[in-house]
Structures are given as C-alpha cells and as structure tokens.
Amino acid sequence: MDVDLLEKICADMRGAPDLGKVADYIPELAKVDPRHFGISVCLADGRQLSAGDADVEFSVQSVSKVFTLSIALGRFGERLWQRVGREPSTNAFNSVHELEVHDGIPPNPFVNSGAIVTTDALLVGARPRETLAEILHFVRYAASDDDIHIDAAVARSEKLTGDKNWALAHMLRAYRNLDNACALALGTYFHQCAIRMSCEQLARFGRFLAHIHPHRSPVRAEHVRNINALMLTCGHYDGSGEFAFRVGMPAKSGVGGGILAVVPGIASVAVWSPGLNKHGNSLRGTAALEELSTACRWSVFEPHDR
Ligand code: GLU
C-alpha cells in the first residue's frame, strides 16, 4: 500500500463520468461542489497516506452516528439495546413506516430514528450544549486534532427543512422512546451531523475502530467489535448488502458524501465525494473504496492473508 495507489484512485475518480447527486434536502449541502474528491488512509505502522482533497473539511452528517454510538455504548452498554435494535433495514434511512410497524423501536442505531434515540439517551441529565461538547471532545481525542468544529449554518438549514426527522422524533415520542422534547433531541442531532471534518481527520478518528492505535482507544474492544458489526450490516442503509458485496469493509456513510471504513487490524480509510447514489451513499466514494479494497485485498471476506 503506497501513496501511488491513492493517486491512481484519485485520478480514476476524477475521470469518472457520473458524479452522483449532491444531497439537496439540506439546502446548505446543495452548495458543495460535486467535483471534490479526497481519500486518506491510516496504517498499522503509524503512516498516514492521502490524495486529492483529503485536507478539505466537509459535513460528516451520518458518520457522526458512529461517534454517538461509541459514547452511548460506553455509558449504557447493553441497556442501549432496549431502545434500539441491531438489525439491518431494507427501508430508506429516514423511514417513518418501520417505527409504526415495530412500536417505536428503530431497527438499528444508524438509520435516522435509531440515531435520534441514541442522541436522546446521551442527553439525559445534560443540556444540548454539554452533550455536543462531549461529542466534540470524544472526536477530537480520537482524531488527535482539536481543530474540529460544528457548522452552525448546516445545523440551522436542517432544522428548518428536516421534516422527515421531525416526524421521526414525534413518532418516537408517541411511542415513549424519546425522553427529551423533540426540539432538544433533534437540535442536538442536527448539530452533531453538522460537524465538519476532513478525510485526514476522519481516517485518524477511525484508527480505534481498526484497532491500529489500541493504547489510545477511547472505546472498549468489545464495543469496537459491536460497532464494526453494525457498520458492516447497517452502515450504508438499504445499500449495505451491495456495499459489503463490492467493498467488504465495515463502513459508515453520510449524506455529505463522506465514508469512514475500517479494515480491522490493518487500516482505517476516509473518502469524500459529495455526489450520492440512490441510497444516499457517496457514489464515487464507494467506487474508490471498491478499487482500494480490490487492489489491497482488504475485504474482510478475503479468503487468504491480507
Ligand atoms: N442529517 C442527515 C439526516 O438526518 C443525515 C443523513 C445521512 O447522512 O445519511 O437526514
């Protein structure tokens, strides 16, 4: 694995005819130039290799669900699973329908309803600003970088237009699976989604999930296994099966076009390309990870030594 491979992937992606479609249901995200492409990899020997726009910040959106799940597992352990399931969903990431069917229990912590419940759990006994400070502290520590912040304009934009999430929060509340007022839980959730990070920062965050920086891990090993299992099965919503088939790495996508992926014991990878596929996952980001995974034999399903 060397930087030439990342440069080649970058050149291939820059030449790709289809950029995908930038998320426009959050108006602030629609302003992002779809031509951006960045990739960064952290390796077990401590090296970090990057190419393209790897130092440009973007809105992490649902990648932040990994941050909150990590903190919530540490705090609540098994009790978290009384409020949210651990099964993949074949419905869209913001489906209201499945909450009705399952009496207000979201299928997993990575669909929006499950992430809103996770954030709500973190809010108990704290104010939104304290919970957001806790999330930022956690991310900065794991990424070894204090220069990570929330983009208030993106959070505001989603607060005004995120009607599906408001519907989800009210539905959760109706089923007594939201302890805080909808505005508090969602206000916190919109702000965590609006955290801005670069691929370089995100790849460094992923080191503890890849277990390549274990002495600094902010999360217990058993929870790392849980999170990776959920990323593999649920991290790309109703496109998770296709992603496992093509890439074969535990990974979490966000509608900002970022993807955080891990190869346990070997590497953590972050890619960013703002255009999305029909499931809301980065189109060229997925293609780039497929190319990387194939070249390095990094699929966790590889039958021989990686
Ligand atoms: N903030 C976005 C939402 O709640 C996150 C979705 C995503 O990144 O997949 O709709």
Side-chain angles (χ1 to χ4, degrees):
M1 164 77 220
D2 57 25
V3 79
D4 292 349
L5 175 61
L6 299 188
E7 294 290 357
K8 177 181 180 304
I9 291 172
C10 200
D12 291 347
M13 293 308 128
R14 292 225 154 103
D18 188 359
L19 298 180
K21 195 171 168 304
V22 174
D24 54 8
Y25 74 101
I26 302 173
E28 276 298 306
L29 294 186
K31 297 179 184 167
V32 178
D33 184 341
R35 289 167 301 183
H36 281 296
F37 178 84
I39 184 164
S40 185
V41 179
C42 288
L43 295 162
D45 63 10
R47 281 181 301 152
Q48 178 163 23
L49 308 174
S50 304
D53 301 322
D55 59 350
V56 179
E57 290 175 1
F58 58 90
S59 192
V60 300
Q61 292 297 317
S62 282
V63 180
S64 70
K65 295 170 183 173
V66 178
F67 311 160
T68 45
L69 176 62
S70 303
I71 301 171
L73 273 176
R75 186 174 309 164
F76 305 108
E78 289 295 310
R79 276 182 294 145
L80 185 67
W81 307 121
Q82 293 165 5
R83 296 184 60 183
V84 56
R86 307 192 293 239
E87 291 295 342
S89 168
T90 50
N91 290 304
F93 68 97
N94 54 7
S95 166
V96 180
H97 162 79
E98 59 198 0
L99 276 187
E100 182 92 273
V101 174
H102 297 291
D103 295 332
I105 302 293
N108 65 67
F110 289 152
V111 293
N112 284 9
S113 54
I116 293 167
V117 163
T118 307
T119 299
D120 178 66
L122 292 181
L123 260 177
V124 172
R127 283 175 301 196
R129 128 190 344 238
E130 292 164 336
T131 299
L132 289 167
E134 180 185 15
I135 296 168
L136 276 178
H137 177 79
F138 175 82
V139 176
R140 288 170 179 163
Y141 172 83
S144 311
D145 195 334
D146 283 342
D147 196 15
I148 295 173
H149 307 276
I150 292 171
D151 186 333
V154 171
R156 210 175 310 118
S157 176
E158 190 171 9
K159 188 175 171 195
L160 293 174
T161 56
D163 292 323
K164 262 303 199 55
N165 285 326
W166 286 101
L168 288 171
H170 283 283
M171 193 73 115
L172 289 164
R173 198 93 184 140
Y175 281 106
R176 308 266 178 272
N177 198 9
L178 204 73
D179 289 334
N180 295 279
C182 295
L184 283 189
L186 274 190
T188 312
Y189 170 77
F190 292 147
H191 280 81
Q192 88 184 43
C193 286
I195 292 174
R196 291 177 65 80
M197 289 170 79
S198 66
C199 288
E200 288 179 344
Q201 291 169 328
L202 206 50
R204 285 201 300 276
F205 172 87
R207 291 172 303 183
F208 81 88
L209 292 170
H211 213 67
I212 54 175
H213 210 42
H215 49 286
R216 280 193 90 249
S217 180
V219 176
R220 295 217 301 271
E222 73 200 81
H223 293 152
V224 167
R225 282 194 296 278
N226 297 157
I227 296 163
N228 285 342
L230 288 164
M231 289 208 294
L232 186 81
T233 53
C234 314
H236 279 67
Y237 309 122
D238 48 339
S240 297
E242 176 73 6
F243 187 87
F245 186 92
R246 287 174 58 191
V247 179
M249 297 177 191
K252 182 72 205 86
S253 67
V255 291
I259 303 176
L260 170 64
V262 298
V263 195
I266 298 194
S268 54
V269 186
V271 285
W272 173 49
S273 170
L276 309 178
N277 64 20
K278 66 173 192 271
H279 300 291
N281 303 314
S282 174
L283 185 82
R284 288 189 306 170
T286 304
L289 286 170
E290 184 176 15
E291 191 173 336
L292 181 67
S293 169
T294 305
C296 299
R297 299 173 164 201
W298 274 356
S299 164
V300 296
F301 303 109
E302 276 289 344
H304 30 84
D305 287 348
R306 279 175 278 147

